[in-house]
Amino acid sequence: MSNSLLSDLAGALVSGRVQMVDLTNTLSPDFPVIVLPPEFGQCAPFRMEKVSRYDENGPAWYWNNISMNEHTGTHFDAPAHWVTGKDVPSNTVDAIPAREFMAPAVVIDISAESAVDPDFVVTREFLTKWEVEFGRIPPRHWIALRTDWYKRVGTADYVNMQEDGAHSPGPDASAVEFMVHERDCIGLAVETVGTDAGQAMHFNPPLPAHSILHGNGRFGLQCLTNLDKLPTFGAMIIACPLKIEGGSGSPLRVVAMIEGKNV
Amino acid sequence: MVGQLPYDGVVICAPVTVPYVRFSVETAHWWAGGAMQALARETGLGPADFDGFCFASFSAMPDSVVGMVQHLGLSPRWMDHIPTGGASGVMALRRAARAVQCGDAEIVACVAADTNQIDSFRQTLAGFSRFSQDATYPYGFGGPNATFAMITDNFFRKYNVSRQDFAKLCVAQRDNALSNPIALLKKPLTHDDYLNARPIADPVHLFDCVMPCAGAEAFIVTTPEKAAELGLSTARLSATIERHNAYIDDPVQTRGGWARDIDALWSAAGCGPQDVDMLQAYDDYPVIVAMQLADLGFCDKTELPGFIADNDFTITGSLPLNTNGGQLSAGQAGAAGGFQNVTEGLRQILHCPLGDQVPDAKKALISGFGLVNYDRGVCTGAAVIEPEDLR
Amino acid sequence: MTDPLSPPVKKDPLKNTRMGHVSPGLRSRAARAMAVRAGQGRFVLQVCDYCCTATYPPRDRCPKCWGTLDWQDQPTGATVMTETTIRVTTDLFFKEHAPWRVGSVQLEAGPTAIVHLHSDVRPGDRVRMELKLDRGGNPALFAMPEKETPNMVDDAQYRTFTADPKHRRVLVTDGRGPVGQAMAKALLKAGARAVFLGNGDTTMRFDGEAEMVAHENVEIVPLNVTDTNSVTKLAHQLGGRIDIVVNTAAVTRQSGVAFGSKLTDLQAGFESEVTGLMRLAQGFGPAMSARSDDGTNSAAAFVDVASVYGLTGRAGFAGQAATAAARLALISGLRGEMAQTGIRVISVLTGPVDDVWHQHVPPPKTAPAQIAKSVIDALTRGLEINCAGDAAKDLFARWQADPFLTIREENQ
Ligand SMILES: [Zn+2]
């Protein structure tokens, strides 16, 4: 019975004692991408061109050519994505060891705060208070920020671009420092279009999540859905980016295993 | 200008017509072969006996006279292709006559044949000429109807001529057609029928327009000796003229090339318009008939209404006009329409008409007009023929 | 006077749509050369280089001295000599549009010509000639009243030689920018019945949105020309109602070729301007073609607004010039295809647009309103190519005179 652990898991999956939650948004041409000031290069949206669909270009088969940025749709940020992570070992998606692709998650619910204040900022102080209530964030976990932001997908409120920039919740530098150095997280998983807050350009330092996470070899998961379906502790996230040579990230299917309630 | 040499030693004989049909599934080759067959029946000659061949057609594409010669098994030592439609009869006559006179050929079959398949009229128009395709047909695609409508419009205003005048010409031609057993239009036409016809391209109305059809016409040009040997009645060629693209500075056509050469014609023929027994004119639209009446010397254009009123154009009238009915009533079989004037004139003076005989016919004036390349007819010709030997 | 064009009534769904025939298309090479000038709105005839005689119909040699011929602008005056109303024709287009008036005119330039007649002109009248393109893209001489008459441009025959936006419904592909918005305003002013204004990102606000929304006859529609799905969706929804497409998609980025260039900018430019153009053509072309002779608001034109530097390339904007060149090539191909169906394909060429992407480019720059004016001008005159603004006009003139010199001038 050397593989009893996985046999148990297989049994639990069959019985429903372990359930899968899809944390992925549908990759479609109109799924929004991060918008940078126009003078910068832009993130290509998802595009799909039919090659054939049981027609003169392929009578019995259907397939499409697709194109997109590495950071389009529900996607994974590798450390190399940010300048701070440029010298981190194994910093591209093809080099990240496979063991990193499956990790437990702790879900921090800031949906109420975010509903009131789209610019809600998660601070170290907020996290430490949270730990008092829910318990300590364990090491080598994805820290998932539940904002219910995914419910805004398809509306202008998702990227929430105003004349002074985007408005969506995210952490400040103190929070990210805390996650990385004091709680040794795998990475930060969010429902918004970036791990950083919409206004994080104006933070000090700017874009702390990208900067600190990737500078320390941690990952990002963005544009997730269904974080409200996960328990605070105990979910297992499977997030395997495409093995793109030297890739800075990748669209991917993200799923979570949770233990069922009624079995 | 050097005067025209007389056509001594040349005769015309054996006019044949392959009866026209409105539409035909056959080809121009088939109709040309029909004409040759008719000539063979008249003369007893076969393919090896003709050493000259002169051919006119719009619908033999992609063949010219070359393809037709091989198609029909001929082996001529002289041949010609006449692309001038309504002027092709007179032109074939002139060319064949000189060939025979000079000994380049002894017996020339002059043949015009065209088919008329469904839609071939439109197709012929679409690719008719470069100027037409560039600058006429895209303007309403009225075909020759529209071009002659504009010529008629101008003619009416300039010479005070009206449809009333044209009615008399067209009604007379229809009367003439009634005795022609192979004319396509055999229903009597009244003055009122003509005036009340539906407009086609104002002021051209239905009975101003010829009916395109399929058919063939042919005749033989040879030596008097050869004709005698074959036992054929013959006519001689008294005088001819031909002119192309005359009066290029006239902004709208009011005259044809005849006007330029008419004195030469009458002087070579040794007679005048008053001396002819009939006029076989090209009658694609009455305005062209009226133009010919003036340009051939019958009257001035300003006198046309009076001249038309004063004359009777039926077979027994003062100036029999297009005695087979002309193209307006007998039908226009493409280039064969340009041969009708020759074959009908020839028949009348040889006293073997299709229908009624012009009494005491001794002199026929034949006139051709062809090819609306752009805004006017370009080719004109005329001939005076007289009987030589009636056998 | 001409009866004013009445607004189209709703279609009887049980009636067949009139098929979009074009008038006979066979032409000589010389006539095609005349068409090129017609497409630029010029009135030209061939003139002998030796004896200076002007000639018509198009020839290959002077009929007076056999000298060679050049196309030259000519005085437009003429006098009508004859007229006819063609009621019977075997041509499918003219049959549908009979009766049709033509006549012959004496041109002030010298020759006579058979021409289309405006309903307000008669024999003896002095007229003003226009050299138009017919629905099949072939040259056509049209005699207009010498002086403006009421509702002159509503003449039924004349309207088949234009793509006048009056009473038509127009899709402007990029309504997020100033060019598309200026376009919408100009179209409404020119009598367009409706303007559908494309919005490439419905979740993102844009300047001028409120003003556009406020226009009664403007409808903002989701359209992202880089997304095949989006184009197809809109075409399915509106294809049968679009009479004119005006493609204002533009991606302007400074770029060199080996130096100072961004491949992603080039790709984004091609996706939007080139592949996007093909998406629009595929999405809207077939339905427009089927409605090219559908009464007052028949489908009429596909307009592409592109940089004039597509003709030459341009230092500093190499990528944009490349996309414009590709657009011009596609537009030429599309024009050939649409000529069979009676839809005019029009290129409006612009100089540097007076927008944020040309901040460092010295004047003259092309204002969005100028571009809109040029598009309206091309539609109402039935042109094939039109230059918006002085910079484009200047470059086009230089390019016509010496293409390779102009290429050198623009790139060195
Ligand atoms: Zn010359």
Side-chain angles (χ1 to χ4, degrees):
Chain A
M1 300 299 280
S2 58
N3 56 356
S4 65
L5 206 56
L6 286 182
S7 300
D8 288 352
L9 177 60
L13 283 165
V14 169
S15 70
R17 208 154 58 75
V18 169
Q19 292 181 350
M20 305 295 286
V21 178
D22 194 343
L23 303 183
T24 326
N25 275 299
T26 302
L27 209 44
S28 69
D30 53 4
F31 192 85
V33 293
I34 194 155
V35 178
L36 300 185
E39 63 269 25
F40 294 119
Q42 298 295 324
C43 176
F46 176 75
R47 290 293 182 257
M48 180 159 88
E49 301 298 342
K50 180 184 72 180
V51 179
S52 73
R53 190 161 193 162
Y54 331 121
D55 53 25
E56 70 277 17
N57 298 314
W61 53 97
Y62 165 50
W63 51 353
N64 302 298
N65 287 342
I66 57 173
S67 64
M68 73 213 83
N69 189 279
E70 290 171 331
H71 301 264
T72 297
T74 298
H75 67 273
F76 181 98
D77 283 0
H81 181 39
W82 217 250
V83 62
T84 49
K86 72 183 169 65
D87 297 324
V88 169
S90 304
N91 60 354
T92 53
V93 279
D94 54 332
I96 296 168
R99 65 167 183 277
E100 309 280 22
F101 299 149
M102 189 151 136
V106 53
V107 178
I108 297 171
D109 183 359
I110 56 166
S111 59
E113 292 84 347
S114 305
V116 176
D117 176 12
D119 289 319
F120 180 71
V121 176
V122 176
T123 59
R124 183 181 200 281
E125 187 191 356
F126 178 87
L127 292 175
T128 50
K129 272 189 188 159
W130 184 90
E131 284 188 333
V132 171
E133 187 174 346
F134 295 95
R136 186 183 165 92
I137 298 168
R140 304 310 294 160
H141 270 52
W142 283 104
I143 298 175
L145 290 180
R146 173 191 162 187
T147 51
D148 286 354
W149 220 250
Y150 81 90
K151 294 175 181 169
R152 301 174 173 225
V153 167
T155 72
D157 295 340
Y158 182 64
V159 176
N160 205 18
M161 182 67 76
Q162 310 293 334
E163 280 179 36
D164 57 354
H167 292 269
S168 55
D172 71 358
S174 71
V176 187
E177 294 283 1
F178 176 76
M179 294 176 198
V180 170
H181 295 301
E182 298 182 39
R183 295 296 177 262
D184 192 22
C185 66
I186 284 274
L188 180 61
V190 300
E191 296 171 13
T192 48
V193 81
T195 46
D196 269 300
Q199 290 284 303
M201 226 26 153
H202 306 294
F203 289 4
N204 193 16
L207 301 163
H210 283 87
S211 177
I212 297 164
L213 285 168
H214 301 323
N216 292 282
R218 314 304 156 107
F219 313 127
L221 274 177
Q222 283 125 124
C223 306
L224 297 172
T225 66
N226 289 332
L227 289 182
D228 56 343
K229 313 283 192 305
L230 302 188
T232 305
F233 294 99
M236 181 70 79
I237 287 180
I238 302 169
C240 309
L242 297 178
K243 196 165 184 174
I244 299 167
E245 186 177 28
S248 73
S250 156
L252 75 176
R253 189 75 177 244
V254 183
V255 295
M257 288 189 286
I258 57 173
E259 291 195 36
K261 292 174 188 125
N262 306 319
V263 184
Chain B
M1 194 165 63
V2 179
Q4 187 176 45
L5 295 180
Y7 290 95
D8 295 339
V10 183
V11 294
I12 326 159
C13 49
V16 299
T17 298
V18 184
Y20 298 176
V21 296
R22 175 79 174 94
F23 290 109
S24 169
V25 296
E26 307 297 350
T27 62
H29 302 69
W30 186 93
W31 285 96
M36 290 307 292
Q37 188 183 45
L39 285 181
R41 286 189 182 143
E42 288 276 314
T43 61
L45 300 173
D49 301 319
F50 290 95
D51 62 355
F53 184 64
C54 187
F55 182 62
S57 179
F58 289 121
S59 57
M61 286 85 67
D63 283 349
S64 67
V65 66
V66 182
M68 199 55 61
V69 157
Q70 195 165 26
H71 201 102
L72 298 175
L74 298 166
S75 185
R77 60 187 172 117
W78 178 93
M79 69 181 188
D80 205 351
H81 189 110
I82 314 283
T84 57
S88 61
V90 172
M91 286 179 64
L93 191 57
R94 282 166 58 93
R95 280 152 183 69
R98 294 306 184 195
V100 168
Q101 191 180 36
C102 298
D104 290 348
E106 188 183 21
I107 179 157
V108 181
C110 297
V111 177
D114 264 303
T115 188
N116 186 43
Q117 294 167 343
I118 299 288
D119 202 38
S120 66
F121 182 65
R122 188 180 66 84
Q123 288 173 7
T124 304
L125 283 190
F128 193 75
S129 77
R130 175 166 151 179
F131 280 2
S132 293
Q133 87 187 21
D134 281 352
T136 315
Y137 294 145
Y139 294 82
F141 205 82
N145 293 336
T147 306
F148 284 100
M150 287 184 274
I151 290 172
T152 306
D153 172 57
N154 179 62
F155 202 84
F156 278 179
R157 266 182 281 114
K158 189 158 181 186
Y159 300 113
N160 218 8
V161 179
S162 72
R163 294 189 65 224
Q164 298 281 351
D165 304 315
F166 286 2
K168 184 166 180 191
L169 299 173
C170 295
V171 168
Q173 285 195 204
R174 181 63 60 86
D175 282 350
N176 295 345
L178 297 182
S179 74
N180 174 4
I182 60 171
L184 281 186
L185 295 165
K186 302 273 291 179
K187 198 174 154 217
L189 179 73
T190 68
H191 192 86
D192 283 349
D193 290 341
Y194 173 86
L195 289 178
N196 296 332
R198 67 185 163 94
I200 302 295
D202 309 5
V204 164
H205 291 61
L206 184 63
F207 297 118
D208 295 314
C209 306
V210 297
M211 180 184 280
C213 63
E217 302 274 351
F219 56 87
I220 285 172
V221 178
T222 186
T223 60
E225 297 75 21
K226 187 75 185 175
E229 183 192 317
L230 295 168
L232 299 170
S233 293
T234 58
R236 67 173 176 276
L237 202 42
S238 306
T240 66
I241 52 170
E242 178 179 324
R243 179 67 67 178
H244 308 286
N245 200 26
Y247 306 118
I248 51 179
D249 293 326
D250 286 2
V252 182
Q253 185 164 41
T254 55
R255 49 187 171 166
W258 312 283
R260 189 162 158 189
D261 303 296
I262 190 61
D263 293 345
L265 180 80
W266 292 125
S267 121
C271 62
Q274 69 285 352
D275 301 319
V276 300
D277 300 309
M278 75 199 77
L279 169 60
Q280 308 293 352
Y282 190 78
D283 64 333
D284 195 338
Y285 307 96
V287 68
I288 298 305
V289 175
M291 209 180 279
Q292 284 167 96
L293 286 173
D295 290 350
L296 292 168
F298 291 92
C299 66
D300 278 349
K301 291 203 173 80
T302 50
E303 297 163 356
L304 274 166
F307 182 82
I308 292 170
D310 294 345
N311 278 281
D312 175 352
F313 299 97
T314 60
I315 290 174
T316 55
S318 54
L319 179 59
L321 169 70
N322 294 338
T323 48
N324 66 330
Q327 300 180 84
L328 283 173
S329 291
Q332 182 188 53
F339 265 50
Q340 239 185 57
N341 46 6
V342 178
T343 52
E344 178 61 14
L346 203 47
R347 278 194 186 98
Q348 288 289 356
I349 60 169
L350 299 181
H351 292 196
C352 54
L354 291 168
D356 289 347
Q357 174 70 50
V358 173
D360 202 24
K362 287 266 169 33
K363 215 183 273 281
L365 173 58
I366 293 162
S367 174
F369 176 74
L371 243 80
V372 181
N373 185 61
Y374 172 46
D375 59 345
R376 62 193 69 198
V378 171
C379 310
T380 54
V384 178
I385 58 172
E386 296 174 74
E388 176 117 332
D389 280 306
L390 296 183
R391 298 185 169 99
Chain C
M1 67 164 273
T2 313
D3 290 335
L5 196 64
S6 33
V9 294
K10 280 184 184 156
K11 248 173 106 165
D12 178 348
L14 298 183
K15 280 212 174 117
N16 279 5
T17 298
R18 189 156 67 186
M19 283 181 71
H21 300 296
V22 294
S23 33
L26 199 61
R27 291 296 186 285
S28 66
R29 189 159 194 264
R32 285 165 181 268
M34 193 181 192
V36 170
R37 277 81 182 172
Q40 296 166 17
R42 294 169 58 189
F43 182 77
V44 293
L45 292 173
Q46 288 169 304
V47 175
C48 176
D49 64 356
Y50 184 74
C51 75
C52 300
T53 303
T55 185
Y56 183 82
R59 287 178 162 90
D60 302 334
R61 283 278 178 176
C62 171
K64 297 282 183 204
C65 77
W66 308 306
T68 54
L69 301 168
D70 281 322
W71 293 99
Q72 291 181 14
D73 294 291
Q74 294 293 315
T76 58
T79 304
V80 180
M81 298 186 295
T82 70
E83 68 170 322
T84 182
T85 303
I86 297 169
R87 299 170 192 278
V88 176
T89 168
T90 49
D91 176 72
L92 297 173
F93 172 78
F94 289 115
K95 193 165 186 290
E96 292 284 8
H97 291 263
W100 189 274
R101 279 182 81 237
V102 301
S104 58
V105 298
Q106 175 70 58
L107 296 167
E108 215 169 76
T112 62
I114 293 173
V115 304
H116 302 283
L117 294 183
H118 188 277
S119 53
D120 289 342
V121 304
R122 296 281 172 276
D125 287 358
R126 292 264 314 152
V127 291
R128 181 176 56 77
M129 294 306 306
E130 290 186 9
L131 175 57
K132 315 298 290 182
L133 286 175
D134 71 16
R135 288 159 45 85
N138 286 305
L141 293 168
F142 200 104
M144 292 293 271
E146 191 178 29
K147 301 216 166 59
E148 174 107 19
T149 60
N151 312 307
M152 187 166 75
V153 299
D154 288 355
D155 176 78
Q157 286 185 198
Y158 188 71
R159 195 161 157 96
T160 70
F161 293 94
T162 72
D164 199 313
K166 189 171 180 181
H167 294 319
R168 286 193 163 106
R169 300 154 298 187
V170 189
L171 172 67
V172 177
T173 59
D174 182 9
R176 294 181 63 91
V179 174
Q181 291 171 21
M183 205 59 255
K185 284 186 264 188
L187 283 163
L188 291 178
K189 206 173 142 215
R193 194 156 66 120
V195 174
F196 300 101
L197 202 49
N199 177 7
D201 188 345
T202 50
T203 64
M204 210 61 77
R205 73 192 155 72
F206 58 90
D207 289 343
E209 187 173 11
E211 190 196 343
M212 287 297 115
V213 169
H215 274 288
E216 194 187 341
N217 294 319
V218 172
E219 186 183 331
I220 296 183
V221 293
L223 175 65
N224 188 321
V225 297
T226 69
D227 175 7
T228 305
N229 197 32
S230 160
V231 175
T232 309
K233 236 160 97 180
L234 191 72
H236 286 169
Q237 189 191 330
L238 286 183
R241 281 203 275 153
I242 300 288
D243 307 322
I244 295 171
V245 169
V246 180
N247 182 24
T248 54
V251 176
T252 307
R253 299 292 182 271
Q254 286 187 52
S255 73
V257 182
F259 303 93
S261 55
K262 276 188 246 174
L263 285 171
T264 50
D265 280 353
L266 187 74
Q267 286 176 324
F270 265 83
E271 263 309 305
S272 174
E273 296 200 25
V274 183
T275 323
L277 172 59
M278 194 182 272
R279 287 187 187 99
L280 288 167
Q282 291 180 358
F284 292 92
M288 288 175 73
S289 293
R291 286 187 50 256
S292 76
D293 200 7
D294 192 19
T296 305
N297 55 351
S298 56
F302 189 105
V303 186
D304 193 50
V305 180
S307 166
V308 73
Y309 298 106
L311 298 171
T312 57
R314 190 185 185 204
F317 288 90
Q320 191 202 15
T323 56
R327 284 171 89 156
L328 291 174
L330 286 182
I331 279 293
S332 299
L334 182 64
R335 183 174 294 130
E337 292 168 13
M338 297 296 240
Q340 319 296 315
T341 70
I343 300 290
R344 288 165 197 280
V345 176
I346 301 169
S347 268
V348 170
L349 302 178
T350 72
V353 181
D354 194 4
D355 65 12
V356 293
W357 299 108
H358 295 92
Q359 294 177 50
H360 77 295
V361 176
K365 291 195 260 192
T366 313
Q370 274 179 301
I371 297 173
K373 193 169 155 234
S374 180
V375 169
I376 302 291
D377 182 54
L379 288 169
T380 51
R381 295 166 67 197
L383 304 183
E384 210 165 69
I385 193 159
N386 209 14
C387 290
D390 293 336
K393 287 192 179 100
D394 167 73
L395 186 121
F396 189 66
R398 282 188 285 132
W399 178 80
Q400 280 193 305
D402 192 336
F404 284 98
L405 171 60
T406 315
I407 288 170
R408 196 168 282 255
E409 284 170 337
E410 291 305 317
N411 289 281
Q412 289 181 9

